[in-house]
Structure formats: C-alpha cells, structure tokens
Amino acid sequence: MNNQFQPNNINLQPTTTTPQNRTSSSVTKKPTELTPIHIIILLSIFAAIILLIFTLIQVFRQNPYGEQIKVNNLEKYYKDFSTNTKDSIFNTLYNIVSDNNPDTKLPKSGAKVRDGSTTGYYNKNTDIYTDSFIIDIEELRQSYAFQVTWSPNPNNPNLADISYPVLATCPKKEQIIYENFNCVDGFTANGIYNDPIFSILPISISYYDKNYSEYTSYDINAKSTNDKVTIIIDDKTGGNYEAAIKKLKEEGINPDDYTIIYNDLSSEQTPSRAPNDIKF
C-alpha cells in the first residue's frame, strides 16, 4: 500500500496587487499648498474689498451739518483737518453758494482749493491755527474766501472764544479770477469777524534781561466792540509801548489799522524777583 502523502494541487504562488485592485481609500491626496503668488492674489482681493467698502461708506455717508459741496483737493493742502472740520467746510461752502445761486442746481463736488492761495498762522500761546484759502468752483465760475480756525486738540478751551471756526466770505477784488457775480455774504460788510488779528493775539511777553537784574512783562490782546477791533496793551512793568508796537509789526499787524489802548500797570505790580537758582 502506497501511503505516500499526495498534496492537492494548490497554487501557492504569491499574489500581486495591481493598480486595478487598489481601493480608493488607499489613495491619499496631498493638500494644495499656497504659493507666494496665491498669497499675493488673496491679499490683493482682500485689500480691494476693504477699499470698496471704505469708498461706499464715504459716498453714502451723510454730512451731519446738512447739504455739502465737496472740495476735491482739500486734503492735498490740509491733511490735519479733522473730519468734523472738513464736514463744516463742505457745508459752509454749500450754504454760501446756495445763497448766491438760489435758482441754480448746485454741484455736489468739484470745488478746489486754489493753488497759491493758502496762508496760515499758528498761535503757540493758544495752540490755535488759522488757515486762509480761496475755493474755486469751475462749474459755476465762482470763488469764495475761507478762513478756518482750529486746533490739534479738539478740547482746546481757547476754541470757545472763536465765533466762526469756519468762515466763508466773498472774494476781494484782487482774488477774483472769473467774472463778477455780485457776491453777497453776511460778513464782508462787518469785517471784524474774519479779522486775522484774532488768530494772532493774545501775545504775552515776559523775560529777564541784563543778567536777570531787569524784568519785562506785558500782554497784547484784541477785542471787538461796536463792530470795531481794539488792541489793548497791558504793560505790567512799564515803558514797553514801543516794544509792543514793534512786536505787532513783526507779527504782520499794522497798528495804524486799529484803535490802541495802552495801560501802564507798573505801579500796580509787586516787584518781581529773579529765580532762586540764578547766580549773579
């Protein structure tokens, strides 16, 4: 009897997996990496969206003072003007233009600060700026003079003394570049309101001289009464009238254009001592 084991015919060859046998779960996709170009494109789109939103806000934003005519190039000359000041300028321009053109459809923008017309003064004693300029409206062929009094500090208490922080008046004869349109305003006839002297004064002078053996002190101020401007010199140490007049001229003020009141207060003053740390 042949007991030799006869193995069944079994295929013992190793199997191989072809690409067709792989399941989808065995395939791993690599995440898409952002290249610098992609990042730049995304940032550009984001910036464009922000700019569009900002533009729409500016276009549809209402001026809190009312109607306005926008001065297109105002920021070219006055970047430090606050939003409130700019709103006031645009509304003031609209009001004076409306008064002079009651039956005309007014433009919403297009006004421009005239190149070369800007002047300014800074009073360091009050921290107040006074800027003057001419605004031209080509569409109407009209011009208006502006004076803006402002401070970098919106809470500056000296601003309370300014009756018209933004003042619009008719241009002077030498400022007219278009034909005369018989401009009218409520201030030209009463020029005290836009007299630049109020942006220059008050001035306080106080100093020691001659090795601190001599003290000088006087104040120069201005006030309006009965539609006239008066300059008041309060001389605390006496003998400073000529020095005060010279100071006015240095600041661009012609003393002959004003009534001047000189007060010698030297007899009322307590003698001033030099500082304790001064060595003679």
Side-chain angles (χ1 to χ4, degrees), residues 6-221:
Q6 295 290 333
N8 295 327
N9 186 18
I10 300 175
N11 185 5
L12 298 179
Q13 293 182 357
T15 61
T16 59
T17 303
T18 63
Q20 289 78 9
N21 299 129
R22 294 177 184 169
T23 63
S24 59
S25 61
S26 65
V27 179
T28 303
K29 294 183 179 181
K30 293 180 97 177
T32 303
E33 295 183 0
L34 291 178
T35 66
I37 294 178
H38 291 145
I39 295 174
I40 293 174
I41 292 174
L42 290 174
L43 290 176
S44 299
I45 294 174
F46 179 75
I49 293 173
I50 296 298
L51 180 61
L52 177 61
I53 293 173
F54 179 78
T55 302
L56 291 175
I57 291 174
Q58 293 298 312
V59 170
F60 293 103
R61 176 181 174 273
Q62 297 294 316
N63 189 321
Y65 293 104
E67 296 290 338
Q68 69 174 16
I69 296 177
K70 190 173 182 180
V71 183
N72 292 16
N73 64 344
L74 185 65
E75 289 192 0
K76 173 183 176 182
Y77 298 93
Y78 301 106
K79 295 180 180 179
D80 295 329
F81 279 173
S82 66
T83 299
N84 181 70
T85 298
K86 288 185 285 188
D87 283 339
S88 183
I89 291 172
F90 299 162
N91 173 253
T92 301
L93 177 61
Y94 175 89
N95 290 336
I96 192 171
V97 173
S98 177
D99 289 343
N100 283 279
N101 302 270
D103 301 319
T104 303
K105 183 178 180 181
L106 304 183
K108 296 295 183 181
S109 63
K112 290 185 177 181
V113 175
R114 184 187 300 175
D115 185 34
S117 71
T118 59
T119 59
Y121 181 84
Y122 174 65
N123 188 334
K124 63 181 180 180
N125 296 317
T126 60
D127 190 29
I128 286 180
Y129 289 84
T130 299
D131 289 295
S132 300
F133 48 90
I134 304 296
I135 291 180
D136 297 323
I137 306 176
E138 177 66 28
E139 183 175 333
L140 299 176
R141 297 187 63 78
Q142 295 177 0
S143 303
Y144 298 91
F146 269 73
Q147 179 176 289
V148 180
T149 307
W150 62 285
S151 173
N153 174 17
N155 298 317
N156 187 337
N158 295 308
L159 291 174
D161 299 328
I162 307 301
S163 300
Y164 296 92
V166 175
L167 180 67
T169 58
C170 294
K172 297 178 181 178
K173 184 177 180 180
E174 62 271 17
Q175 296 171 330
I176 297 175
I177 61 174
Y178 304 117
E179 59 272 12
N180 194 335
F181 60 99
N182 297 319
C183 178
V184 294
D185 62 51
F187 304 99
T188 299
N190 190 1
I192 66 168
Y193 291 111
N194 61 336
D195 195 312
I197 196 171
F198 291 107
S199 66
I200 300 174
L201 302 181
I203 295 175
S204 295
I205 305 295
S206 180
Y207 62 92
Y208 287 91
D209 200 9
K210 296 184 179 179
N211 199 22
Y212 288 89
S213 63
E214 207 172 88
Y215 179 63
T216 297
S217 178
Y218 60 91
D219 298 327
I220 311 175
N221 210 332

